Amino acid sequence: TMTALRRAAAILVLLLAALLPPPRCAQDPGMVHYIYQRFQVLEQGLEKCTQATRAYIQDFREFSKNITAMLGRCQTYTSEYKSAVTNLALRVERAQREIDYLEYLREADVCVESEDKTLAEKLIQEAEEEKKIRTLLNASCDNMLMGVKSLKIVKKTVDTHGSWMKDAVSNPQKVYFFIGSRNKTVWEFANLRAFMEDSTKPAPRKLILTHSWQGTGQVIHEGFLFFHNQGTLNEIIKYNLQKRTVEDRMLLPGGAGRALVYQHSASTFIDLAVDEHGLWAIHSGPGVYGHLVLTKIEPGTLGVEHSWDTPCRSQDAEASFLLCGVLYVVYSSGGHGPHRITCVYDPLGAISEDDLPKLFFPRRPRSHSMIHYNPRDKQLYAWNDGNQIIYKLQTKRKRPLE
């Protein structure tokens, strides 16, 4: 580098010499001395620049060496850190697996405890439910049906559908006559003889209701008429026959009124019944020809006391009735005879179908429009093809509950 600088200085001197005027025109010695000094200053500056460049080169070499060493150390540290992080991740993963296992064991214990607790609560609930049902159905009645003894046609009319009944509690001699499956006129007869013979005095009393009934499932209990209100899905009306006013009303739950309660009863969606335990309602569950649902109703408040899903289906059924808290469902093939009871449901479980003989009704040409049990005279009141019929029953005592 120094040699190149000297060469550049020599070339500059020659260039200046070429530009100087001839000797005859040369300047005084002072000018030459000045130019010489300036060249010395220039050389000194070039020398300092050369030294500084060398120092910078040396510093850069040392810096590069240091950086290379530091990068090597960083690479080593990176490998160490990477290995440490990998080991840490493995330890965390192992710890997480152990935590998950401990959590699984804890949840398993909790699940077992929860299942045991749920089972215990279920058993307690079932025991309380059974106790409640036994208390609800605890009456002196302990009879079960063993057969239909005889048939008596009380009256003949031209109306295919209708119902008739007595009030087993209040004014048990009076007979109430309901013509058709949709009407609001009730005929009240003083007694059975007046009902059988139209010429007998006194004449029947005509009661015009404020609402029409739907179907043939109405009943009279304790001086009140209970019926399915026409035009509603599931409204039950409690009607005061003495005051001729609506006493109360309720909506029967459980999907009531959405389907016919019996396949062979084309207008009845809710069938009401009365027995020794009081007021009941029967309706069909969900689906086509679903299972019958039995509901116990408190007649004073129209509150639901309990409800049961029975195994009895509405398919091929034509009517049903309750006797001592047991549901008996009457079936027929195609709406014609023979009429027989092939499904029995006892909420207390004291009666099963194996305990009963084959229960047949006297042969009738068509299905029954209604069959209601009267707990006072222990007979069935029925309507079949315009005939008002009384069936006498044969019963025996149930086996005692355990």
Side-chain angles (χ1 to χ4, degrees):
T1 304
M2 195 64 191
T3 303
L5 290 174
R6 292 181 179 278
R7 289 178 181 177
I11 293 172
L12 183 60
V13 170
L14 292 175
L15 181 61
L16 292 173
L19 295 175
L20 289 175
R24 57 180 185 273
C25 299
Q27 301 293 329
D28 56 10
M31 176 62 70
V32 174
H33 181 71
Y34 172 75
I35 293 172
Y36 180 76
Q37 287 181 340
R38 298 305 298 172
F39 274 111
Q40 283 183 338
V41 171
L42 179 63
E43 287 181 352
Q44 291 174 0
L46 291 173
E47 182 67 23
K48 291 181 179 180
C49 180
T50 301
Q51 293 176 357
T53 302
R54 287 177 179 175
Y56 291 149
I57 292 172
Q58 184 63 31
D59 292 342
F60 180 78
R61 286 177 178 174
E62 293 179 359
F63 175 75
S64 177
K65 182 178 179 182
N66 292 335
I67 290 296
T68 302
M70 291 176 67
L71 288 175
R73 288 196 298 271
C74 286
Q75 189 172 9
T76 302
Y77 293 153
T78 300
S79 300
E80 294 176 355
Y81 291 152
K82 184 176 180 180
S83 177
V85 169
T86 301
N87 293 332
L88 180 60
L90 292 175
R91 294 177 64 184
V92 169
E93 183 179 0
R94 184 167 56 251
Q96 185 63 45
R97 287 198 301 268
E98 293 176 355
I99 292 173
D100 292 341
Y101 178 70
L102 293 175
E103 184 68 19
Y104 167 76
L105 293 179
R106 188 184 71 82
E107 290 181 354
D109 293 338
V110 171
C111 288
V112 171
E113 293 176 359
S114 177
E115 289 178 358
D116 293 341
K117 183 178 179 181
T118 302
L119 180 60
E121 291 177 350
K122 184 178 180 181
L123 292 175
I124 294 174
Q125 184 178 3
E126 289 178 352
E128 292 178 350
E129 192 73 16
E130 183 178 356
K131 182 179 178 182
K132 177 182 176 182
I133 294 173
R134 291 195 179 193
T135 303
L136 179 64
L137 302 181
N138 183 20
S140 59
C141 176
D142 58 356
N143 292 329
M144 58 186 290
L145 182 64
M146 294 304 295
V148 180
K149 292 174 59 176
S150 62
L151 167 151
K152 179 181 179 180
I153 298 178
V154 176
K155 192 180 183 71
K156 293 184 179 181
T157 63
V158 296
D159 301 288
T160 305
H161 300 287
S163 63
W164 72 293
M165 67 205 66
K166 290 182 178 181
D167 187 346
V169 178
S170 177
N171 295 320
Q173 299 301 319
K174 290 184 178 181
V175 176
Y176 295 90
F177 191 54
F178 301 79
I179 300 175
S181 58
R182 294 176 181 87
N183 204 339
K184 61 169 58 177
T185 301
V186 181
W187 294 96
E188 181 187 87
F189 293 84
N191 49 52
L192 186 60
R193 183 179 180 84
F195 176 68
M196 296 173 60
E197 302 175 2
D198 295 335
S199 60
T200 303
K201 301 297 183 180
R205 186 165 69 121
K206 184 178 181 180
L207 305 177
I208 305 298
L209 307 179
T210 56
H211 299 74
S212 296
W213 67 75
Q214 169 69 47
T216 58
Q218 52 273 5
V219 295
I220 295 178
H221 182 59
E222 298 179 341
F224 294 95
L225 168 63
F226 298 86
F227 63 93
H228 180 197
N229 187 16
Q230 181 187 356
T232 67
L233 182 66
N234 58 343
E235 184 179 62
I236 305 300
I237 286 183
K238 178 183 179 181
Y239 190 85
N240 191 319
L241 293 173
Q242 187 67 29
K243 299 178 181 179
R244 301 191 183 187
T245 57
V246 174
E247 188 81 9
D248 202 354
R249 60 185 72 203
M250 70 171 292
L251 297 178
L252 189 64
R258 299 183 182 276
L260 292 173
V261 61
Y262 313 116
Q263 180 184 359
H264 298 311
S265 183
S267 60
T268 303
F269 291 84
I270 297 175
D271 191 15
L272 301 172
V274 173
D275 73 345
E276 292 81 0
H277 297 292
L279 182 63
W280 302 79
I282 306 105
H283 69 86
S284 179
V288 180
Y289 304 138
H291 293 273
L292 298 183
V293 178
L294 178 64
T295 303
K296 183 69 176 65
I297 301 175
E298 207 291 311
T301 62
L302 290 186
V304 174
E305 295 182 291
H306 205 280
S307 189
W308 298 266
D309 292 324
T310 76
C312 304
R313 297 185 63 86
S314 65
Q315 185 176 6
D316 288 330
E318 61 181 55
S320 71
F321 59 92
L322 281 110
L323 188 157
C324 289
V326 179
L327 178 68
Y328 298 86
V329 185
V330 182
Y331 293 87
S332 61
S333 178
H336 305 286
H339 311 282
R340 62 196 186 280
I341 297 173
T342 57
C343 186
V344 177
Y345 178 73
D346 181 7
L348 294 177
I351 297 178
S352 66
E353 295 180 11
D354 297 335
D355 299 324
L356 301 175
K358 293 182 179 180
L359 299 174
F360 285 90
F361 282 78
R363 187 173 183 87
R364 301 299 301 165
R366 295 189 180 180
S367 61
H368 292 84
S369 175
M370 54 78 64
I371 300 177
H372 283 170
Y373 173 70
N374 187 301
R376 185 181 183 88
D377 56 26
K378 313 298 182 184
Q379 299 180 136
L380 296 179
Y381 289 72
W383 189 301
N384 185 286
D385 196 24
N387 298 308
Q388 289 73 58
I389 302 171
I390 291 179
Y391 292 109
K392 292 186 178 182
L393 306 177
Q394 179 182 0
T395 61
K396 77 171 187 178
R397 296 189 64 182
K398 300 179 184 177
R399 58 183 173 88
L401 292 172
E402 297 179 359

